[in-house]
Amino acid sequence: MSKHMPPAHPFDFDAWSEDAGDDKLHEECGVFGVTGVTDAANFVALGLHALQHRGQEAGGIVSYDPASGFNSARRFGYVRDNFTKQSLMETLPGALAIGHVRYSTAGSKGATQIRDVQPFFGEFSMGGAAIAHNGNITNADALRRELIERGSIFQSSSDSECIIHLMARSLQRKVPERMMDALRRVEGAFSVVAMTRTKLIGVRDPLGVRPLVIGRIGDEGWVLSSETCALDIIGADYLRDVEPGEMVVIEDGELKSLHPFVPAKPRFCIFEHVYFSRPDSIIGGRSVYETRRQIGVELAREAPVDADLVCPVPDSGTPAAIGFAHESGIPYGMGIIRNQYMGRTFIEPTEQIRNMGVRLKLNVNRALIEGKRVILVDDSVVRGTTSRKIKEMILDAGAAEVHFRIASPPTAWPCFYGVDTPQREKLLAATMSEEEMREHLAVDSLKFISLDGLYRAVGEVKGRDASCPQYCDACFSGDYPVAPTDMLEKGFQLKAAE
Amino acid sequence: MSKHMPPAHPFDFDAWSEDAGDDKLHEECGVFGVTGVTDAANFVALGLHALQHRGQEAGGIVSYDPASGFNSARRFGYVRDNFTKQSLMETLPGALAIGHVRYSTAGSKGATQIRDVQPFFGEFSMGGAAIAHNGNITNADALRRELIERGSIFQSSSDSECIIHLMARSLQRKVPERMMDALRRVEGAFSVVAMTRTKLIGVRDPLGVRPLVIGRIGDEGWVLSSETCALDIIGADYLRDVEPGEMVVIEDGELKSLHPFVPAKPRFCIFEHVYFSRPDSIIGGRSVYETRRQIGVELAREAPVDADLVCPVPDSGTPAAIGFAHESGIPYGMGIIRNQYMGRTFIEPTEQIRNMGVRLKLNVNRALIEGKRVILVDDSVVRGTTSRKIKEMILDAGAAEVHFRIASPPTAWPCFYGVDTPQREKLLAATMSEEEMREHLAVDSLKFISLDGLYRAVGEVKGRDASCPQYCDACFSGDYPVAPTDMLEKGFQLKAAE
Amino acid sequence: MSKHMPPAHPFDFDAWSEDAGDDKLHEECGVFGVTGVTDAANFVALGLHALQHRGQEAGGIVSYDPASGFNSARRFGYVRDNFTKQSLMETLPGALAIGHVRYSTAGSKGATQIRDVQPFFGEFSMGGAAIAHNGNITNADALRRELIERGSIFQSSSDSECIIHLMARSLQRKVPERMMDALRRVEGAFSVVAMTRTKLIGVRDPLGVRPLVIGRIGDEGWVLSSETCALDIIGADYLRDVEPGEMVVIEDGELKSLHPFVPAKPRFCIFEHVYFSRPDSIIGGRSVYETRRQIGVELAREAPVDADLVCPVPDSGTPAAIGFAHESGIPYGMGIIRNQYMGRTFIEPTEQIRNMGVRLKLNVNRALIEGKRVILVDDSVVRGTTSRKIKEMILDAGAAEVHFRIASPPTAWPCFYGVDTPQREKLLAATMSEEEMREHLAVDSLKFISLDGLYRAVGEVKGRDASCPQYCDACFSGDYPVAPTDMLEKGFQLKAAE
Amino acid sequence: MSKHMPPAHPFDFDAWSEDAGDDKLHEECGVFGVTGVTDAANFVALGLHALQHRGQEAGGIVSYDPASGFNSARRFGYVRDNFTKQSLMETLPGALAIGHVRYSTAGSKGATQIRDVQPFFGEFSMGGAAIAHNGNITNADALRRELIERGSIFQSSSDSECIIHLMARSLQRKVPERMMDALRRVEGAFSVVAMTRTKLIGVRDPLGVRPLVIGRIGDEGWVLSSETCALDIIGADYLRDVEPGEMVVIEDGELKSLHPFVPAKPRFCIFEHVYFSRPDSIIGGRSVYETRRQIGVELAREAPVDADLVCPVPDSGTPAAIGFAHESGIPYGMGIIRNQYMGRTFIEPTEQIRNMGVRLKLNVNRALIEGKRVILVDDSVVRGTTSRKIKEMILDAGAAEVHFRIASPPTAWPCFYGVDTPQREKLLAATMSEEEMREHLAVDSLKFISLDGLYRAVGEVKGRDASCPQYCDACFSGDYPVAPTDMLEKGFQLKAAE
């Protein structure tokens, strides 16, 4: 008399975690800074809460107060669970503060330790500075070796720590000049928010790969943030983006703009539009929600299909599904219901647990799906594991047909600019054609938006300029705007080399 | 030189909590039981996770194993945070287990204590039993007084504890008979899941106010659950509902059906369709999602308005908004974005903090809203505080007009059958007409679905049978199917008395 | 190349715990109550801290305040770690409070649960009462069966819970009368401190086995405590002992004395003098320290030996060692040093870990011991495991001879009156003669004080009155003043039956 | 009708903490290292537990394992509460490990942060090293300024971090040579235990102010420890002390001895004998217990008094009291009883709370004291606050006379070599003569041992050699063997300058 057995390890922590992420690319960081307000750290905490989707593993805040100097707190876990406690926030006084949320550093050998959590702080001969970094330094290994040889002691496994050591060794006296010195040695993508006792500083790399915006709050407050949604939460007004290659230094209520780098044609990360940024953010003057909806419209034009229902894979596929439904005239419906009691965690080591995760987080709305030809709209396919699982759920529920429409081109190349991607061989699109993927997923049809279609959706009416692309789209095209120095040294093969 | 001040107490715990709830009615409990499977407690944990929306404050599981007897664990917080730990789950062995999630008991004088968390356990002269109760006993005060007079010692402030004391004093020997004895003394609404060393028992009150369904898992496994979505998560098949007034006793793989009460016409809670139940659940043979979508359709017919955008108040207003958009032909869009890093907590003591809460949880998708005439579809209006705040957010974002469409009739009466409602004077609809509410909220229009429209949406094509309503709709109509004995004693005025 | 291996499991929690206890008898409880002071719970916390040696596993406090009613807090761990927190103590307002510290109930089937921690509270038809019990009810099993049969629901595995259920069922209306009713049904040893909304109540069983004293604080404050050392810590004055068989009821600043039981000849526990009580307490008018020192004097007279050093086994052997050294003229010295960073915990499941424990807690003062003939003075020998280990340490350090002198007679019988004792077969003296024990321990000599010598040390100049002993000395004599009903039913053999 | 009020803030954490310490000098650190054993970190944990009296605030362990590299754990709190957990210890594999316990660094501006907890780790160009430091660097401020100027980034406020930065910048390649380079720049007192991947290293400063001993365990295991009592706990054999100015490098089971410093006449800290070290340790070939007992003998000769009882202030005054009683022939007795449930914590900010602390920790054995002329033997008088409080307790208990005998000379100067001392003006002996102190304490007599008497007790039969003292006794004499560079810069006045 055999009993029904539960799934293996149904209660491992990881089995409960969300896995929207497991089959997604992940932004590694969000940065935020504010000056000229009372209890600045409180604003930073709110801002980081709004940026939590950019990094959910840990967060940190540094503030400066003339009476007690620099103070910092770094914690694992969600902002709302740590930086909401009066007892903690009282240790972070002052009118100037910066903060950081992080996912995890690709380069770390193992689990993140608290010493890897930013902002990093350094005391220099003319005073101290704290920095928070979004992006990835592609020559960090080489820089670290050089700095250790000269006697620097690293405290973390983070590539971002190089910046503060380079600053400490700069022959310049003042922090902005030290930072210029340091960042000129750095290759890769970076949006940095930094602070001294009196200054709030923001910098973007010359290509402007990662976002950074400027906001105003009250008469004399200034804000720097990865996204505009974090301005909204504190009631700040969006002023403009920090420009690619620009350094802004805010002091005594005034902003000074510097341009310390050799100018270059901007290459903003197009995946910020597809997935990373929040739909209520404005990037480069464009609504992320509207862009995603427009991707759905383009998809419906590029890859129409006769069906009964357009159904988003929640939550990131929703705007594109709305656009697809509108353009196609096929009814929109919630065929998949998300359990809102799952956090958006990504610590899932095995494929088996990942697969189980889907059942914990998502359930099929059987009554809606049954007997219907369903178009599932998702934002991307990375490993394909989640897509296969969702397809099975839909078919188990009695769908007549399943058609996948993907709101991004096939993800075939890893990102080295601050996004966590699997090794290339684990990317489904790196080893299979679209038709092979369709067979692998065993669906009735599978279509990705074209690269040109994606460019049109972000407003480039003529599509992608192949000779000089308007965005960084390396994850789709393999066209890397900055050479991945450390990775090449480790044997990574560029497209040209294939 | 004055600085911009942060909102008062921006980091109070409560300010971070979700408040979709604060202005909602809340289900107080979910119950789940399973027998005939290996490691039954693991299944219960999964089931409770799927029922978390019915009670998020605390949860408990009792299991029985011949080697170690009855074991129990009761914890505050989410199921996923407690009942996922291998170390805890290993203390709950056995093939038979029941569980409970709770919100909070209206009758409690203060904060819930762990001793108030169900299931409750009692050792009787012929063996022990554990019970988990969803509902509310309307004569609990009277019963408690009587039991104390006779020498019973209560350990909790929960009305549900009366049941176990009545069972302890029953002159019957066996647990099912003791339970019949006890429940015949009880007035009100109850769906009870109970267990002995060998039996899994389910009961619904004669009116069947609260839901309870039966599922099968594997060859010999049986499941009892508040909703079908909790069958889905463990891969169980939905068999049928426990009928109003029915007691099912499952032992040795067999189910016996008993009918211990005087028969009555069923009065299932209509608000389960409107808000409490998960959209992917099937209630009384009807899809909750489809019912809600149909409410939107009815609303569009009853209260059409010329506008540019149909926008749900996330997440509970979404299905009705989809239905409204479909019926009206006005485009559907996500004008309000929900921060997914908020839990669904309800512990917000003051209106000021509640209002702030909205900003933490919701943000306007300004680019979509700007300049548009917006129809906002929400599930209900309780105090009206959230509605007013949302309206302000929408107008601040530049909407041209704001029209509220509410997917339930005005909530004018408190529930005494297991739902947490504010005192009657705090219900907006108890003191204002629809037009007064519109003025109070200062919106361009405000329309609630009619009671008949709601009944049509749940499939009663002729609408509500006023002489003998098909559902319990006391919160809208003031027509209480069971006399609220304790409340009447405390001075509550019935509608007839007004 | 073999490496030196660490001891097995050197870091198990238990290996770190103190084991002075492991080879000792343990008092199970301390009780304390106070009325007529501001913030009574604070005084109770201080009192329980002073009584911590009587029970270190858990503690609880109940207070009453007219505004908020009865409040309680029960916690595992030391008083100083729990009842020192302002946030917790603020939940225990009022001028009347009682408390309890406990070791663990012999009768519990497994680990103590928080519901086993006293004081217990019951709400009766005329108001509530809380009780804290030191002692053991020898007919608890029979009472529990009877109460369950009648419909009482037990919440704990504690024998003390019987008292509150008996009170709930009493036909009397007032709490003192209900308590008399209840305690007349109870057999065994008990010192009870109880409270209602207005009364502080103390009772001792007719034999007065366990201690209970009365103190005064300020003009109108009254205190009840297991020992006088807990009066000292709050600055209260010792008034007198509660007499055997007496019930005191303190209300409105007045004490009333009642005698509800059939009078009996007192039989106070003589082991309280030997080990349980703190040396700075006064029991029955006698200084515990002076009694212990006098035991050493008697031992030096009864069992002299030629040696170079009198060395106490710290800390409980110290007063007797001082007396022995003084009487014998042999120098006193600290040959064994105690690591003060060990708590006095007793949770050591295996003999192996117990043995290791000694090394963690005690170290030999090698320079003092080397080459000397050493007299080790200890308070008792229970299993003999610690004694053997200590002997080895002393010999390893180079002692020429080791002579044990034990400040109590051989412990040959278990206690059933509120003291945790191993099963009889694990008591070394139950199975061996003094000479066999000496051989077992492999020491040069081993002498216990005689029963008469012990009686002389507590002031009975003629020694023990065999026909009618002045104390309960069952653990030495097997002469049980109250029949151990439950244990006899389980097959325990009295001395007469051997 | 006024109620008796509890003492102000009776439940502040600090009020519960021990204060033996508050009026004592405190050792700041203990260090321990082991190589050539399986699971070395376990031995380190045991060793640190035995050294806990040298630093109770925090502890850390670093281990090296070829498979996983360097691993570390640093925690606040007692060793037994942190480094006993299997889960933590499993993260510290390997046959080589070092550890550190700390009190708190005098130089720190505020509360210790976890980053201040040693061992410190640095990765150099030829491999990494971890160091644990006991002592104090008297030119740390100057060194830190210089290092920051050159681009080093400090992570802690600890003076010990200078050593690792100096090592990182050394032009030498190998770690021992880098360490020599670094330590030659360092002034002050230091006993350092360090490790690389293969070496265990120990160093003492040229004067040998702080202790460090060498032990053997098994055939190939080596141990370095601050005191011998930590050898005992792991069953290691004491080999010899690391000599003043010696560096030992242990690798592959062999010890090499180096002498990198200019030789100097040793000046071991005499206060280690008086108070810091555990009585069961052997220092410089002398038993600490015997030295303390001998101090009591000298005191009895230097300052006899007619009395009835010699009573130690527990626990540190005990050996001297035993010696005093023996020499004087006056009976020894425990007039003050220590509550063993107090930890030995020192975090007491105010004098008021300190005074209250005494009542929580100590109680008078009234029956013994009453009517007697009492000699109280204590180890030292720092601020005098505890002494005054104890005197009051003794008099309240009815003592006829109170005579203080102090087992050290008056403490009139702060220590700058690794001991936490109050500022000079808070030292009672810095501002009062012996007679003024007697009046201040209001006792019948007060006598300190003479400096010569102390030297005799440590075996210098001719007493102190004033021209070239055999020990560092700066706290008594103001004769500082190493110039306190940083303190002089901050304005500290040497004795000659007075």
Side-chain angles (χ1 to χ4, degrees), chain D residues 207-219:
Chain D
L207 301 185
V209 175
R210 303 261 72 89
L212 190 63
V213 302
I214 308 172
R216 297 299 315 256
I217 183 164
D219 289 337

Side-chain angles (χ1 to χ4, degrees), chain D residues 159-349:
Chain D
D159 63 307
S160 310
E161 196 186 341
C162 289
I163 300 173
I164 202 98
H165 284 289
L166 288 168
M167 289 171 69
R169 289 175 173 280
S170 166
L171 300 178
Q172 299 290 337
R173 305 306 288 173
K174 297 199 169 169
V175 167
E177 281 73 22
R178 284 176 183 264
M179 192 178 298
M180 288 183 203
D181 258 18
L183 293 176
R184 285 191 198 108
R185 286 297 318 278
V186 158
E187 300 169 8
F190 52 85
S191 285
V192 171
V193 169
M195 65 185 280
T196 68
R197 283 171 297 172
T198 58
K199 299 180 181 72
L200 176 65
I201 302 171
V203 201
R204 279 175 89 194
D205 63 78
L207 301 185
V209 175
R210 303 261 72 89
L212 190 63
V213 302
I214 308 172
R216 297 299 315 256
I217 183 164
D219 289 337
E220 56 186 74
W222 290 87
V223 190
L224 297 175
S225 171
S226 290
E227 293 184 32
T228 62
C229 64
L231 302 183
D232 295 342
I233 201 173
I234 62 167
D237 296 314
Y238 169 63
L239 182 69
R240 66 170 176 89
D241 288 20
V242 175
E243 293 163 29
E246 183 185 15
M247 169 185 280
V248 295
V249 179
I250 301 162
E251 187 171 20
D252 295 332
E254 301 294 318
L255 178 146
K256 262 184 297 188
S257 171
L258 307 167
H259 290 82
F261 306 110
V262 177
K265 182 158 184 299
R267 298 288 293 272
F268 183 67
C269 168
I270 203 163
F271 216 89
E272 291 276 353
H273 280 289
V274 170
Y275 177 71
F276 296 146
S277 294
R278 255 177 54 173
D280 47 342
S281 283
I282 306 293
I283 301 186
R286 288 191 63 80
S287 155
V288 172
Y289 173 83
E290 179 53 26
T291 294
R292 288 183 191 165
R293 207 192 65 85
Q294 196 59 37
I295 293 174
V297 170
E298 292 283 341
L299 253 181
R301 289 173 189 161
E302 288 190 354
V305 59
D306 199 18
D308 304 309
L309 182 74
V310 176
C311 168
V313 176
D315 287 343
S316 51
T318 302
I322 291 172
F324 194 106
H326 192 264
E327 178 70 14
S328 66
I330 301 169
Y332 170 88
M334 295 169 67
I336 303 174
I337 303 294
R338 193 170 163 275
N339 182 331
Q340 61 180 309
Y341 297 97
M342 303 299 299
R344 190 181 175 186
T345 33
F346 304 106
I347 319 160
E348 281 169 283

Side-chain angles (χ1 to χ4, degrees), chain B residues 290-456:
Chain B
E290 179 52 27
T291 294
R292 289 184 191 164
R293 207 191 67 84
Q294 196 59 36
I295 293 174
V297 170
E298 291 284 340
L299 252 180
R301 290 173 189 160
E302 288 190 355
V305 59
D306 198 18
D308 305 309
L309 182 74
V310 176
C311 167
V313 177
D315 288 342
S316 50
T318 301
I322 291 172
F324 195 104
H326 192 263
E327 177 71 13
S328 66
I330 302 170
Y332 171 87
M334 296 168 66
I336 303 175
I337 303 294
R338 193 170 162 275
N339 183 331
Q340 61 180 307
Y341 297 97
M342 301 302 298
R344 190 180 174 187
T345 33
F346 306 105
I347 319 161
E348 281 168 284
T350 69
E351 191 165 326
Q352 175 213 12
I353 284 170
R354 257 196 308 276
N355 290 347
M356 190 174 337
V358 175
R359 261 175 281 164
L360 292 171
K361 192 185 94 184
L362 301 178
N363 193 23
V364 177
N365 185 351
R366 188 180 301 260
L368 181 62
I369 292 290
E370 204 159 15
K372 298 230 177 75
R373 295 167 301 169
V374 179
I375 300 169
L376 289 174
V377 181
D378 203 354
D379 58 275
S380 60
V381 171
V382 181
R383 289 185 190 84
T385 47
T386 302
S387 308
R388 191 157 52 179
K389 188 77 200 136
I390 287 171
K391 182 264 310 181
E392 280 164 22
M393 285 169 58
I394 296 291
L395 286 181
D396 285 352
E401 294 176 11
V402 176
H403 303 273
F404 263 109
R405 290 299 175 269
I406 309 301
S408 60
T411 306
W413 294 90
C415 176
F416 302 124
Y417 309 132
V419 174
D420 186 57
T421 0
Q423 288 176 290
R424 204 186 162 210
E425 55 270 29
K426 296 207 173 161
L427 296 171
L428 205 65
T431 56
M432 295 187 191
S433 69
E434 195 170 285
E435 173 57 17
E436 285 167 341
M437 285 191 267
R438 191 201 62 73
E439 278 175 28
H440 174 78
L441 298 178
V443 289
D444 295 286
S445 75
L446 164 70
K447 294 289 175 188
F448 293 82
I449 193 169
S450 68
L451 205 41
D452 274 325
L454 175 60
Y455 271 73
R456 281 193 301 272

Side-chain angles (χ1 to χ4, degrees), chain A residues 1 11 16 42 46 49 56 80 84 220 232 280 289 334 338-341 344 360 363 365, chain B residues 1 11 16 42 46 49 56 80 84 220 232 280 289 334 338-341 344 360 363 365:
Chain A
M1 189 171 89
F11 296 100
W16 289 83
N42 282 2
L46 285 165
H49 173 64
Q56 305 155 70
R80 70 152 199 253
T84 54
E220 57 187 73
D232 294 343
D280 47 341
Y289 174 85
M334 295 168 67
R338 192 170 163 276
N339 183 329
Q340 62 180 306
Y341 297 97
R344 191 182 174 186
L360 292 171
N363 193 24
N365 185 351
Chain B
M1 190 172 90
F11 295 101
W16 288 84
N42 282 2
L46 285 164
H49 172 64
Q56 305 157 69
R80 69 151 201 253
T84 55
E220 56 187 74
D232 295 342
D280 47 341
Y289 174 85
M334 296 168 66
R338 193 170 162 275
N339 183 331
Q340 61 180 307
Y341 297 97
R344 190 180 174 187
L360 292 171
N363 193 23
N365 185 351

Side-chain angles (χ1 to χ4, degrees), chain C residues 52-70:
Chain C
Q52 189 83 77
H53 60 288
R54 299 182 73 86
Q56 304 156 70
E57 194 184 31
I61 298 179
V62 170
S63 73
Y64 180 80
D65 177 62
S68 65
F70 285 98

Side-chain angles (χ1 to χ4, degrees), chain A residues 123, chain D residues 102 104-118 120 136 140-141 144 154-162:
Chain A
E123 188 145 346
Chain D
R102 67 174 268 136
S104 73
T105 306
S108 172
K109 69 174 179 174
T112 302
Q113 302 215 340
I114 199 68
R115 62 187 184 193
D116 291 330
V117 179
Q118 303 192 32
F120 290 125
N136 192 55
D141 291 354
R144 178 182 282 251
F154 278 72
Q155 293 297 325
S156 76
S157 65
S158 165
D159 63 307
S160 310
E161 196 186 341
C162 289

Side-chain angles (χ1 to χ4, degrees), chain A residues 34-41 43 94-96 217 220-222, chain B residues 3-5:
Chain A
V34 65
T35 184
V37 296
T38 300
D39 293 337
F43 287 89
L96 173 53
I217 183 164
E220 57 187 73
W222 290 86
Chain B
K3 296 209 168 152
H4 191 80
M5 294 292 296

